[in-house]
Amino acid sequence: MSRGRKKHPAEPLSASIESLSHEGRGIARIDGKIIFIEGALPGEEVRFLYTRRRGQFDEGRMVEVLKPSASRVEPRCRYYGMCGGCSLMHLDNGEQILHKQSVLLEQLQHIGGLEPERVLPPLSASHWGYRRKARLGAKYVTGKETVLVGFREKHSSFIADIDSCEVLHPILGESIGQLKELLHELSVYRQIPQLEVAISDSVAAVVIRHLAPLTGNDRRILADFEAQYPVRFYLQPGGLDSVHSLSGEDGENLYYRLDGHDITVEFSPIDFTQVNFELNTLLVDRVIELLEPGAADKVLDLFCGLGNFTLPIARYAQHATGLEGSEDLVLRAQKNAQRNSLSNVGFGVCNLMEPDAGPLVSGCAYNKVLLDPPRTGAREIIEQLDLERVEKLVYVSCNPATLARDAGILVKQGGLSLKAAGVMDMFPHTSHVESIALFE
């Protein structure tokens, strides 16, 4: 006979919040058992409802603050709590980045068994309207007789019913209502599941994924919208290779500037770029500050993408080499080098996640290395590097857990020292931790 599940108490219960989890939930103990309470902050007394009971811990959501933390702030977004795009907007901005710093240091110690000799000052930029890259869901809802456009609801696959977004760049963040109306005018409004947004320094590119062909009138409606707003539409009737501009021409180039290094980086609307351009500028400066590329240095940039770091590094180094798994990104990186009149930089295609990447990497001349891998980290390529010839290695990470794991390899197996580490607030109001580390 199966055992019945323990029922959740129907009425709210009280709890004292001890600390904050990595993902930003308050941690309390009820009868000796840990419970993660969404929306609660350390030092608070709250009332909460259970949402899930597990063997080792429980989960809940805060319904009332009895004793607020001094770090609690009123969320600026009217959709906060319903929309799943942000999770820490109720926490003071300064405390958000300090929390992320504590997550990084805890992961380095717990996973890598390491402490940096120096903790770098956190990097922060604008907290609002910062997001230049986003994937927005779209769906026609019969009951509301409208097309919804936005992020998913919290803990749900439904699309949040919003008309604006405080973290999306204002070009689109303030125009979601108009986008919803625009899509509803199209004949294919029921067959549009997604919009891919990429906002450059000059214009917002919106890639419309459509599962049915557009009519001539649909195209006229979109063209009229382009004439009124700084928006350029791209159509995606199939896979990523089907993306093309509404006009069928190359259209206006998308780009961002790194003024401090006199670099312009052009990109397509489906290319990977950093979400936060203002913070990215500070990040590039910090990479160059830590790596110290000079006239005698040959720098190897692994997972180079469009050349976001490789190109500015080449301004100072004898030579810079960028390797990347995507052939399309490498081709664009090469064009970016030509546009910026850089002749001391080269790019190559290499799957850096494979164990046979070593021969191509070892054929490159380098005494300094930059790593900027995906969330899974860079363990595979680290184990193939000749670390004896590396004077400095800078590691940019979007996942402190894999950074900590790889740091352990670099120090304990590679013989390097963890000189410095710190965080940057690439995604304000979320629990996402972006970090950087220097090894010598």
Side-chain angles (χ1 to χ4, degrees):
M1 184 172 66
S2 63
R3 291 175 293 177
R5 291 185 179 178
K6 191 172 182 179
K7 293 184 178 180
H8 300 170
E11 298 298 322
L13 301 177
S14 298
S16 299
I17 308 303
E18 301 173 2
S19 58
L20 205 60
S21 70
H22 288 178
E23 70 276 11
R25 294 184 293 177
I27 300 176
R29 294 179 187 272
I30 304 294
D31 297 329
K33 188 178 183 183
I34 289 178
I35 177 168
F36 297 99
I37 303 177
E38 188 175 299
L41 296 176
E44 292 188 330
E45 299 286 336
V46 304
R47 290 175 67 75
F48 74 95
L49 287 171
Y50 279 97
T51 56
R52 194 168 187 180
R53 308 294 288 271
R54 295 174 177 266
Q56 295 183 323
F57 62 89
D58 295 330
E59 297 174 299
R61 63 177 177 85
M62 188 269 296
V63 294
E64 182 184 4
V65 179
L66 302 176
K67 177 187 172 185
S69 164
S71 299
R72 179 174 288 276
V73 296
E74 185 66 26
R76 173 166 157 173
C77 178
R78 56 181 168 154
Y79 305 109
Y80 184 66
M82 177 270 289
C83 174
C86 297
S87 58
L88 286 176
M89 202 177 284
H90 60 290
L91 180 61
D92 171 77
N93 292 324
E95 292 298 321
Q96 287 184 34
I97 192 65
L98 290 178
H99 167 66
K100 295 176 183 185
Q101 178 176 280
S102 71
V103 170
L104 170 65
L105 297 178
E106 191 277 331
Q107 295 279 50
L108 284 172
Q109 176 62 52
H110 179 69
I111 299 174
L114 301 169
E115 289 185 16
E117 295 180 17
R118 176 167 59 107
V119 177
L120 298 167
L123 292 179
S124 293
S126 298
H127 299 110
W128 307 104
Y130 68 84
R131 188 157 187 166
R132 300 279 195 118
K133 189 83 171 175
R135 178 171 294 168
L136 304 176
K139 185 175 178 62
Y140 176 74
V141 180
T142 304
K144 297 184 178 183
E145 296 185 345
T146 187
V147 174
L148 300 184
V149 173
F151 298 103
R152 303 289 171 180
E153 291 181 0
K154 191 165 289 189
H155 310 306
S156 169
S157 60
F158 295 115
I159 296 170
D161 188 358
I162 63 175
D163 288 316
S164 61
C165 177
E166 296 287 351
V167 298
L168 195 60
H169 190 282
I171 289 180
L172 287 181
E174 297 174 357
S175 305
I176 291 179
Q178 290 97 312
L179 271 178
K180 291 163 60 174
E181 294 175 3
L182 172 73
L183 296 185
H184 200 185
E185 290 183 46
L186 303 179
S187 66
V188 295
Y189 65 90
R190 293 177 183 269
Q191 285 85 34
I192 298 176
Q194 173 184 299
L195 303 179
E196 191 85 25
V197 173
I199 302 173
S200 81
D201 284 354
S202 60
V203 70
V206 178
V207 181
I208 302 175
R209 177 76 177 101
H210 55 99
L211 306 179
L214 270 65
T215 66
N217 189 53
D218 291 336
R219 293 174 179 273
R220 282 190 290 272
I221 291 171
L222 294 174
D224 289 344
F225 193 91
E226 285 186 336
Q228 298 178 55
Y229 298 93
V231 173
R232 297 296 173 266
F233 290 110
Y234 292 74
L235 307 179
Q236 185 186 352
L240 290 178
D241 58 353
S242 72
V243 174
H244 60 280
S245 68
L246 175 66
S247 65
E249 302 173 356
D250 289 341
E252 184 172 352
N253 290 333
L254 306 178
Y255 70 91
Y256 61 89
R257 284 281 299 166
L258 297 170
D259 286 325
H261 312 284
D262 190 25
I263 293 292
T264 300
V265 181
E266 293 192 359
F267 61 96
S268 86
I270 58 173
D271 286 340
F272 171 82
T273 57
Q274 296 288 1
V275 161
N276 188 329
F277 283 10
E278 186 179 351
L279 197 286
N280 179 62
T281 298
L282 301 178
L283 174 57
V284 170
D285 291 345
R286 176 153 289 179
V287 165
I288 291 176
E289 171 195 341
L290 295 176
L291 203 58
E292 295 183 308
D297 291 322
K298 296 177 180 178
V299 180
L300 179 61
D301 181 5
L302 301 176
F303 308 95
C304 68
L306 294 161
N308 180 59
F309 297 112
T310 331
L311 300 172
I313 286 172
R315 289 283 190 220
Y316 311 98
Q318 181 186 130
H319 191 273
T321 302
L323 298 180
E324 163 64 44
S326 166
E327 185 174 354
D328 287 342
L329 288 178
V330 166
L331 289 173
R332 265 187 280 284
Q334 291 170 339
K335 291 181 180 178
N336 277 321
Q338 295 170 4
R339 292 186 186 101
N340 287 279
S341 301
L342 290 167
S343 59
N344 63 331
V345 60
F347 294 94
V349 180
C350 180
N351 186 346
L352 299 168
M353 311 304 289
E354 294 293 332
D356 60 354
L360 178 57
V361 173
S362 63
C364 300
Y366 61 90
N367 64 306
K368 294 183 178 180
V369 175
L370 172 66
L371 292 168
D372 183 16
R375 289 189 60 81
T376 51
R379 177 171 55 190
E380 294 83 1
I381 195 60
I382 284 173
E383 293 174 343
Q384 300 176 72
L385 286 173
D386 181 3
L387 295 176
E388 290 187 0
R389 65 200 241 202
V390 175
E391 299 170 18
K392 288 177 181 284
L393 185 149
V394 172
Y395 192 131
V396 177
S397 170
C398 59
N399 183 350
T402 52
L403 168 60
R405 179 202 67 198
D406 293 347
I409 297 171
L410 288 166
V411 172
K412 296 173 183 178
Q413 299 177 28
L416 301 182
S417 298
L418 177 56
K419 292 295 183 180
V423 294
M424 62 282 287
D425 208 2
M426 186 69 74
F427 290 82
H429 313 301
T430 77
S431 59
H432 179 90
V433 180
E434 191 95 5
S435 54
I436 187 169
L438 168 65
F439 301 84
E440 293 182 358

